Amino acid sequence: MLAAHFLLMVTLSVINYSLTSVFSSEITAVYFALKYIDVHDIRKSILYTDSTSLLESLRSSSTRNPLIKEVKDFYRHLLSKVARILFSWVPSHVGITGNELADKSAKSATEFLTRPIVYADVRLAVNQWCHCQWQEKWNMETNNKLHVIKPVLSHWVTKLNRRCDVVLTRLRIGHTRLTHKYLLFAESPPTCSHCGDILSNT
């Protein structure tokens, strides 16, 4: 479960849905900070955050994230009311009192927040769930020879040359022309001329 926190004159903490990403939680915290500024008619404010990705998104001229767009629109609304708002980055986990207080408050949040979840967060959560289910089933395939080669499901490191990728994949799974060409021609498996064992890549 993720939470976000903002600190102005009072401490306000809310709990987002468990599907919500850290990035979305940070954006939501900024939105509520701006809302607090608007409701209390605060003229000068500085919002501190340890999220560089958040600041970069707010600085960007284009975005597809609906939460970022909502924050930008709200920010422009406050500027039209002659409010002065600055965003400032602070390093995380270095003992800054305000930032440590924000993290502690976020972890102890008890009030649930009901806001729409962005599509990207839902897609990420679904992909992670599917991957976990896939991994659990794969963990049971201990008799599968490929399980020994790759017990943890993840992408192989790929090369720019497809030919190299094909060769590396065949070597990983043990399927090469030398050891498995006989299957294509319905022949007997090749054997070692010295010991008589069936050839393999191991």
Side-chain angles (χ1 to χ4, degrees):
M1 187 168 292
L2 299 173
H5 167 85
F6 61 87
L7 177 66
L8 290 168
M9 296 177 65
V10 295
T11 300
L12 299 174
S13 301
V14 292
I15 301 176
N16 271 340
Y17 297 106
S18 58
L19 298 179
T20 307
S21 66
V22 174
F23 182 75
S24 294
S25 296
E26 295 283 354
I27 300 172
T28 302
V30 171
Y31 172 81
F32 275 92
L34 295 177
K35 188 175 181 180
Y36 184 93
I37 292 171
D38 186 34
V39 171
H40 294 82
D41 198 25
I42 301 173
R43 294 301 179 182
K44 295 182 180 181
S45 306
I46 301 179
L47 303 185
Y48 294 92
T49 177
D50 58 10
S51 173
T52 54
S53 57
L54 170 61
L55 295 177
E56 289 172 357
S57 297
L58 292 175
R59 191 184 301 117
S60 175
S61 58
S62 61
T63 180
R64 295 182 179 180
N65 190 310
L67 298 180
I68 288 290
K69 185 178 183 303
E70 184 179 29
V71 167
K72 284 185 173 182
D73 291 341
F74 206 161
Y75 176 71
R76 295 190 189 97
H77 164 69
L78 293 175
L79 292 182
S80 67
K81 297 174 63 175
V82 200
R84 294 182 59 186
I85 304 171
L86 299 179
F87 290 88
S88 178
W89 175 81
V90 292
S92 58
H93 309 297
V94 293
I96 297 178
T97 304
N99 196 45
E100 296 297 328
L101 175 61
D103 289 340
K104 182 178 180 180
S105 179
K107 293 177 182 178
S108 62
T110 57
E111 180 183 350
F112 281 85
L113 176 65
T114 54
R115 280 174 59 81
I117 305 175
V118 296
Y119 169 73
D121 288 350
V122 176
R123 182 180 60 184
L124 177 61
V126 171
N127 287 340
Q128 291 176 341
W129 181 85
C130 290
H131 187 273
C132 289
Q133 296 297 311
W134 185 16
Q135 183 66 60
E136 287 182 3
K137 291 184 177 180
W138 183 240
N139 291 340
M140 305 296 291
E141 299 292 333
T142 54
N143 294 327
N144 190 321
K145 69 174 184 178
L146 298 181
H147 186 274
V148 178
I149 300 171
K150 197 170 185 62
V152 179
L153 298 173
S154 62
H155 292 291
W156 291 113
V157 176
T158 58
K159 306 295 182 182
L160 295 178
N161 189 323
R162 173 170 169 74
R163 180 59 183 168
C164 290
D165 286 336
V166 172
V167 172
L168 287 174
T169 299
R170 287 176 178 173
L171 288 174
R172 288 178 181 127
I173 66 177
H175 288 189
T176 63
R177 288 183 180 276
L178 176 63
T179 58
H180 289 74
K181 184 175 66 173
Y182 74 94
L183 295 173
L184 300 176
F185 299 97
E187 300 174 346
S188 299
T191 58
C192 176
S193 58
H194 295 286
C195 64
D197 289 343
I198 296 177
L199 292 179
S200 68
N201 292 322
T202 57

